[in-house]
């Protein structure tokens, strides 16, 4: 049955913004500080621009086939077997990223909140919650992200604004860094934060005005990019590069240092953790949703709800494979960065091929 419900372009921008602000908010300042030093804010902007280019490619490609998802039109663009292989790789990319996100969620809860609770229980809880949440169509999926967006953005922005009064500008100098940044990692680390931007290839068929989708997509990633930039500036500005590298979760430590009203209100880390849990939910929800959609298309199923249930034990099992946090974050970095490169290359290849073969076109947009 054809979906008659649609989301507006403003709602699309909010959905993209909500989906992109991920759980790496706790560790990202440490990652980028290790790769770029005091040039971390500059490299965050550069990485966000790379991600914006990828989102531009995804959006322009989808505008040529605005009544179909990428899993549907890829076969007509590059052929049956190549599209099957590519869709398997898309599934593998989001499957691994989802599993590792679940493990990271469990690690944080076991370290910060539920210290006596087995990590397996924390992971199982979020896997079941996300799986049942994903049993929705694209419009209802968007409504969930729309609902949680204020609870993700506003507390996050509040905590960062309260922390800016403790920023010491000298900790951010020199702007270009004392040493040459590790360019591949310094660019790919921030760019891979926006892996969920691929969701636009699924949502465009349920968008009211696909012609305006590009503006909405750029607005969505701009909002998220600004928040990541503020996060890096405030964290490194308070602690400096070397101390940031020594902290397990530097953003959480930043929230703990905030005091309001002459120390009347302290320990803002409690608010930050609540915000972070909602933040993690929207990100994992997006990743799981794309994973289930890609697998359902591989099996040629009309409804992806069965797949969301079948994926639960698989994702739970894979999430437990890393032996420790060091191995977990190493695998996560490799998975996310290689996934970003593959998805960007795949989208660019489909777009160029569709232009050469004159598949789709503005009439569809």
């Amino acid at each position: 049955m054809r979906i008659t419900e649609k989301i507006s372009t403003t709602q699309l921008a909010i959905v993209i913004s909500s989906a992109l602000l991920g759980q790496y908010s706790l560790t990202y300042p440490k990652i980028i500080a290790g790769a770029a030093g005091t040039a971390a804010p500059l490299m965050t902007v550069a990485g966000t621009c790379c991600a914006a280019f990828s989102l531009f490619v995804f959006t322009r490609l989808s505008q040529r086939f605005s009544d179909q998802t990428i899993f549907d039109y890829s076969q007509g663009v590059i052929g049956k077997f190549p599209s099957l292989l590519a869709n398997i790789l898309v599934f593998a990319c989001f499957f691994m990223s989802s599993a590792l996100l679940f493990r990271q969620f469990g690690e944080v809860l076991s370290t910060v909140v539920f210290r006596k609770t087995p990590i397996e229980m924390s992971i199982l809880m979020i896997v079941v919650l996300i799986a049942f949440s994903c049993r929705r169509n694209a419009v209802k999926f968007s409504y969930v992200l729309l609902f949680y967006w204020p609870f993700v953005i506003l507390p996050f922005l509040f905590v960062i604004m309260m922390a800016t009064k403790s920023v010491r500008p000298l900790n951010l100098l020199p702007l270009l860094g004392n040493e040459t940044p590790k360019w591949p990692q310094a660019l790919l680390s921030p760019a891979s934060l926006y892996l969920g931007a691929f969701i636009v290839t699924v949502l465009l068929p349920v968008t009211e005005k696909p012609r305006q989708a590009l503006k909405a997509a750029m607005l969505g990633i701009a909002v998220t990019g600004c928040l990541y930039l503020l996060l890096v500036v405030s964290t490194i500005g308070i602690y400096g590069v070397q101390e940031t590298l020594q902290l397990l979760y530097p953003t959480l430590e930043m929230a703990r240092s905030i005091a309001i009203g002459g120390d009347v209100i302290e320990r803002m880390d409690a608010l930050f953790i609540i915000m972070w849990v909602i933040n993690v939910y929207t990100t994992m929800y997006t990743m799981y949703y794309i994973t289930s959609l890609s697998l359902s298309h591989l099996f040629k199923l009309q409804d992806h709800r069965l797949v969301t249930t079948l994926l639960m034990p698989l994702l739970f099992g894979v999430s437990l494979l890393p032996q420790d946090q060091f191995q977990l974050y190493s695998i996560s970095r490799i998975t996310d960065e290689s996934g970003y490169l593959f998805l960007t290359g795949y989208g660019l290849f489909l777009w160029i091929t569709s232009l050469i073969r004159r598949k789709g076109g503005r009439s569809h947009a």
Side-chain angles (χ1 to χ4, degrees):
M1 184 174 67
R2 187 177 180 83
I3 298 176
T4 56
E5 294 179 286
K6 297 283 186 178
I7 61 173
S8 67
T9 49
T10 301
Q11 290 173 326
L12 178 63
I14 295 174
V15 168
I16 291 174
S17 176
S18 182
L20 295 183
L21 191 61
Q23 72 184 67
Y24 284 105
S25 54
L26 288 182
T27 56
Y28 174 65
K30 178 178 180 178
I31 295 171
I32 194 64
T38 55
L42 181 63
M43 298 312 299
T44 298
V45 174
T48 301
C49 290
C50 292
F53 170 74
S54 302
L55 183 56
F56 171 81
V57 171
F58 296 149
T59 306
R60 293 299 294 167
L61 170 64
S62 297
Q63 283 180 320
R64 297 183 62 84
F65 307 90
S66 59
D67 56 345
Q68 297 176 305
T69 68
I70 191 171
F71 306 111
D72 296 319
Y73 61 72
S74 59
Q75 181 174 335
V77 176
I78 60 175
K80 184 176 181 179
F81 180 75
S83 67
L84 175 63
L85 179 60
N87 288 336
I88 290 175
L89 293 176
V90 170
F91 164 74
C93 170
F94 284 101
F95 177 85
M96 287 301 300
S97 294
S98 298
L100 295 173
L101 283 174
F102 287 133
R103 174 62 180 272
Q104 290 174 40
F105 176 83
E107 290 286 354
V108 174
L109 287 192
S110 298
T111 303
V112 179
V113 185
F114 304 125
R115 298 182 179 180
K116 295 183 179 181
T117 302
I119 189 173
E120 293 83 1
M121 293 305 299
S122 299
I123 296 173
L124 183 61
M125 174 193 69
I126 194 64
V127 168
V128 173
L129 175 63
I130 296 294
F132 281 102
S133 299
C134 285
R135 297 170 65 87
R136 295 177 169 89
N137 60 30
V139 174
K140 293 180 180 178
F141 161 83
S142 302
Y143 289 162
V144 173
L145 294 184
L146 285 169
F147 175 79
Y148 282 112
W149 185 78
F151 302 101
V152 172
I153 299 296
L154 298 181
F156 190 93
L157 190 59
F158 173 76
V159 170
I160 292 178
M161 290 296 100
M162 290 298 100
T164 53
K165 64 180 182 181
S166 301
V167 170
R168 288 175 286 183
L170 285 177
N171 287 336
L172 298 168
L173 298 176
L175 295 178
L176 298 179
N178 291 312
E179 300 178 359
T180 303
K182 303 173 185 176
W183 286 101
Q185 184 181 352
L187 282 175
L188 290 176
S189 293
S192 61
L193 295 174
Y194 304 94
L195 206 62
F198 194 77
I199 192 65
V200 75
T201 62
V202 174
L203 295 182
L204 217 63
V206 296
T207 303
E208 287 181 350
K209 299 177 181 179
R211 288 183 182 274
Q212 300 178 11
L214 184 59
K215 294 180 180 178
M218 292 299 106
L219 177 61
I221 198 171
V223 170
T224 306
C226 288
L227 290 174
Y228 274 123
L229 178 60
L230 289 173
L231 179 65
V232 170
V233 169
S234 57
T235 304
I236 297 180
I238 291 174
Y239 296 110
V241 171
Q242 295 304 319
E243 188 171 348
T244 298
L245 293 175
Q246 301 303 315
L247 299 173
L248 181 60
Y249 301 121
T251 306
L252 189 61
E253 296 298 330
M254 177 196 69
R256 284 175 178 165
S257 68
I258 297 174
I260 302 174
D263 296 341
V264 175
I265 301 177
E266 296 180 290
R267 299 288 303 220
M268 296 298 292
D269 55 313
L271 172 64
F272 195 86
I273 280 293
I274 295 172
M275 177 275 303
W276 177 84
V277 170
I278 300 174
N279 188 349
V280 168
Y281 171 80
T282 58
T283 303
M284 291 191 294
Y285 181 37
T286 303
M287 304 295 278
Y288 199 118
Y289 191 77
I290 298 174
T291 304
S292 60
L293 280 182
S294 61
L295 187 58
S296 65
H297 278 80
L298 288 174
F299 288 150
K300 300 186 183 300
L301 300 176
Q302 296 296 323
D303 194 339
H304 71 283
R305 287 182 293 180
L306 174 63
V307 172
T308 61
T309 305
L310 295 176
L311 282 171
M312 282 194 291
L314 297 175
L315 286 166
F316 177 72
V318 173
S319 70
L320 298 177
L321 292 180
Q323 299 299 311
D324 50 39
Q325 288 198 39
F326 178 78
Q327 189 180 62
L328 169 65
Y329 284 106
S330 297
I331 297 174
S332 297
R333 182 174 59 83
I334 295 172
T335 300
D336 292 344
E337 291 176 3
S338 58
Y340 165 77
L341 291 174
F342 163 70
L343 292 174
T344 302
Y346 179 48
L348 192 60
F349 176 68
L350 284 178
W351 187 28
I352 294 174
T353 304
S354 67
L355 291 172
I356 295 174
R357 300 187 62 188
R358 298 182 181 180
K359 297 288 185 177
R362 292 187 178 276
S363 60
H364 295 267

